[in-house]
Amino acid sequence: MNLLRSKCSVFPEGFENLQNRLILNKAREMGIGCELLVDGCEDFLKLSLEHKQIIINKTRTHRLPLIAGLLAKNKQACNLILHEQGMPVPPHIVVAAMGEEAEVFLHQYSSIVVKPLDSSSSQGVTLDVRTVAELEAAIHLATQYGSSILLQQYVIGTDYRVLIINEQVAAVNQYRPVYVTGNGSSSVRERIEMLNRNRMQDTEIGAYESFPAIDLENTHLLDTLHKQGLALNDVSPVDQEIELYDLRNSAAGKISEFYSDCTDDIHPDNARMMIQAARALQIDVAGIDVRCKDIRVPITTEQGGILEVNALPDLTHHVYPHGGTTRDVVRQYLEYLSQS
């Protein structure tokens, strides 16, 4: 543990949140004053910029309209506005409970996502639901996190997070369920154990966990390996990618994911679309979740869609990606805040 603290900057008492530590660390570098507005409360930071002071809530700025934050939280309202703008949004409905309407929607689209209407951080979300029994269980899970349930067509493809700061694409991450790669000599168990050991990074803001540890005793893991003809003690061939999660009827919040930078890959049309989406919702700092076959190709309703727009995006995955280029998005964020 001492090693993990070796690069860590010294932070004032009360700075435990990693986003706030990122902001404070970069603010110091840029000569910007940064402190907690209220001692012992990390909800608000006070930034001192030349002759003015600004209060922020992590990546929520003083310029974010209240209505914009509320719209982003309500997935149905958000989808409606984006759809009216002509953007690709997967078909969806909102239900209060399991019933005929939900079953009809499932039969119409064959594979759907079930999520609470106004939750965050993938809580209560179930992916790739295909049967009535799975639908009933998914709705039951979702109701634990919200009173209304969004059913949405499941889009096949790769997941991306596009970070928008002041109508510019600041960074793009591709994320996928954690996997291991065979080396021809180590067992699957050994590869996972090594992955778990390496998930912690020594950073300027302290010990950063790239993803939650993989539970070797998890039955879902064992079933996923079995579907690939593998067991924990098997040795897999060199360069074979071994999936550790099966998205089929899985709770999204329990899936550990790799975040890899692919900012340079986004197609200009897609970049313009993401900027337009943030502008339509009046969100100045937005994290837009997209699923499509390839971010390098213009997104259409036939090959992808916008899944969600977040008004409190996490910057840590862009600063410390599992793979690819580190993006100095915190500097870009603070430079935006410094503008008059």
Side-chain angles (χ1 to χ4, degrees):
M1 193 61 164
N2 290 334
L3 174 63
L4 291 174
R5 293 174 178 168
S6 63
K7 292 184 182 179
C8 182
S9 302
V10 177
F11 292 95
E13 184 177 353
F15 272 84
E16 301 297 332
N17 180 272
L18 293 185
Q19 288 240 68
N20 284 343
R21 285 190 169 199
L22 272 178
I23 293 169
L24 173 58
N25 204 51
K26 186 59 65 172
R28 285 171 168 172
E29 182 183 313
M30 298 172 64
I32 298 172
C34 179
E35 59 183 310
L36 298 177
L37 177 66
V38 179
D39 289 341
C41 175
E42 288 201 76
D43 288 342
F44 303 103
L45 296 182
K46 181 169 67 174
L47 303 178
S48 300
L49 301 129
E50 296 181 353
H51 303 297
K52 63 180 178 181
Q53 291 185 334
I54 294 173
I55 309 299
I56 62 171
N57 169 228
K58 301 180 182 69
T59 52
R60 286 195 188 103
T61 79
H62 60 302
R63 296 190 178 105
L64 177 70
L66 174 61
I67 191 68
L70 294 174
L71 282 172
K73 190 174 182 181
N74 186 300
K75 298 176 179 63
Q76 185 179 26
C78 178
N79 287 346
L80 177 62
I81 289 176
L82 296 182
H83 179 72
E84 288 179 344
Q85 291 282 319
M87 298 183 194
V89 177
H92 62 277
I93 61 169
V94 174
V95 298
M98 181 67 185
E100 182 179 357
E101 186 179 12
E103 289 191 38
V104 169
F105 187 83
L106 172 64
H107 293 317
Q108 182 178 0
Y109 293 103
S110 302
S111 173
I112 66 173
V113 176
V114 179
K115 60 178 76 173
L117 184 62
D118 56 1
S119 71
S120 59
S121 303
S122 299
Q123 291 181 321
V125 178
T126 305
L127 306 171
D128 197 7
V129 172
R130 300 183 189 180
T131 71
V132 172
E134 291 171 356
L135 175 61
E136 188 169 5
I139 288 178
H140 176 73
L141 174 64
T143 55
Q144 298 176 39
Y145 298 91
S147 57
S148 296
I149 312 302
L150 181 78
L151 309 183
Q152 191 172 53
Q153 180 184 18
Y154 182 70
V155 176
I156 297 174
T158 301
D159 288 309
Y160 299 92
R161 162 60 67 90
V162 181
L163 175 66
I164 303 295
I165 299 179
N166 189 28
E167 300 197 347
Q168 295 182 30
V169 173
V172 183
N173 270 356
Q174 173 185 333
Y175 52 103
R176 60 168 289 185
V178 167
Y179 64 95
V180 292
T181 304
N183 65 357
S185 59
S186 303
S187 68
V188 175
R189 181 190 302 275
E190 290 170 332
R191 299 300 289 168
I192 295 175
E193 289 173 344
M194 179 177 292
L195 189 69
N196 279 338
R197 288 194 298 271
N198 293 337
R199 80 186 190 282
M200 302 300 297
Q201 296 185 43
D202 177 16
T203 76
E204 298 85 355
I205 61 172
Y208 172 67
E209 185 180 47
S210 298
F211 54 87
I214 309 301
D215 181 5
L216 286 162
E217 305 303 321
N218 186 283
T219 55
H220 188 81
L221 167 64
L222 302 180
D223 290 342
T224 302
L225 292 177
H226 179 72
K227 291 177 181 178
Q228 299 168 82
L230 294 168
L232 285 174
N233 293 324
D234 290 343
V235 175
S236 60
V238 176
D239 294 334
Q240 179 185 1
E241 290 188 356
I242 304 164
E243 303 296 339
L244 305 182
Y245 293 91
D246 182 0
L247 300 186
R248 174 86 174 81
N249 193 36
S250 292
K254 295 184 178 180
I255 298 173
S256 301
E257 293 173 314
F258 285 146
Y259 289 76
S260 301
D261 177 77
C262 59
T263 306
D264 296 332
D265 294 336
I266 188 169
H267 191 280
D269 289 352
N270 294 337
R272 284 189 287 270
M273 182 190 297
M274 300 305 111
I275 292 169
Q276 182 187 355
R279 184 188 298 130
L281 296 167
Q282 301 181 68
I283 303 175
D284 55 344
V285 181
I288 304 178
D289 291 329
V290 182
R291 183 176 295 136
C292 60
K293 293 179 181 178
D294 190 341
I295 200 72
R296 296 170 297 183
V297 177
I299 298 171
T300 66
T301 53
E302 288 74 30
Q303 67 98 359
I306 297 175
L307 304 182
E308 205 164 300
V309 180
N310 301 275
L312 186 63
D314 190 347
L315 303 183
T316 54
H317 296 303
H318 300 292
V319 178
Y320 306 115
H322 182 78
T325 304
T326 294
R327 301 291 171 175
D328 198 0
V329 293
V330 187
R331 174 179 292 276
Q332 187 171 344
Y333 174 57
L334 291 174
E335 287 176 344
Y336 162 59
L337 294 177
S338 301
Q339 297 173 10
S340 58

